[in-house]
Amino acid sequence: MTDPTQAELEEIRASIDNIDAALIHVLAERFKYTKRVGKLKAEHSMPPADPERESRQITRLRALATEADLDPAFAEKFINFIIEEVIRHHEAIRN
C-alpha cells in the first residue's frame, strides 16, 4: 500500500472511530430517557412493552433509513435490538 493510500485509510478510519464514539454517547443518552420511562411505567403499573409505540417507531425508523440511503431492514433489526434491551431494563426496574 502506498503512503497516500495508507494516509487516506487512516483518515477514513479515524472518522469511523469518531462516529462510533458518537453512537455510543447517543445510545447512552437514549437509555437515560428510557430508564426514566421504565421508572414511570413501574410507578403506575404499566406494562414494560408498548407494542403500538414499538410498531410506530419501527415504521418511522424504516422511513428515516430509506431517506438516509440506509437499508431499512438493517434499521429495523437495529431498533428491534434496542427495543428488546429497553423492555429488559423496564422489566428489571419493575421487579
Side-chain angles (χ1 to χ4, degrees):
M1 198 173 332
T2 65
D3 285 342
T5 301
Q6 184 64 36
E8 183 177 4
L9 181 61
E10 289 176 14
E11 181 182 326
I12 294 167
R13 286 181 173 166
S15 294
I16 291 169
D17 291 349
N18 288 337
I19 293 167
D20 288 345
L23 285 170
I24 294 301
H25 288 285
V26 168
L27 283 171
E29 187 70 15
R30 186 185 196 287
F31 276 95
K32 286 178 190 174
Y33 286 102
T34 60
K35 186 176 183 180
R36 288 177 58 191
V37 169
K39 288 178 181 177
L40 190 62
K41 285 181 172 185
E43 290 169 4
H44 296 279
S45 300
M46 298 169 71
D50 184 346
E52 283 186 28
R53 161 88 173 146
E54 294 155 19
S55 178
R56 287 192 311 271
Q57 283 295 90
I58 290 166
T59 300
R60 186 176 75 83
L61 291 180
R62 284 185 66 94
L64 287 171
T66 299
E67 291 171 15
D69 197 27
L70 181 69
D71 180 4
F74 170 77
E76 184 171 345
K77 287 179 194 174
F78 181 72
I79 193 62
N80 278 327
F81 176 77
I82 291 173
I83 289 169
E84 288 173 18
E85 189 67 12
V86 168
I87 291 169
R88 191 179 69 76
H89 289 182
H90 289 185
E91 288 169 344
I93 291 168
R94 186 177 181 184
N95 296 328

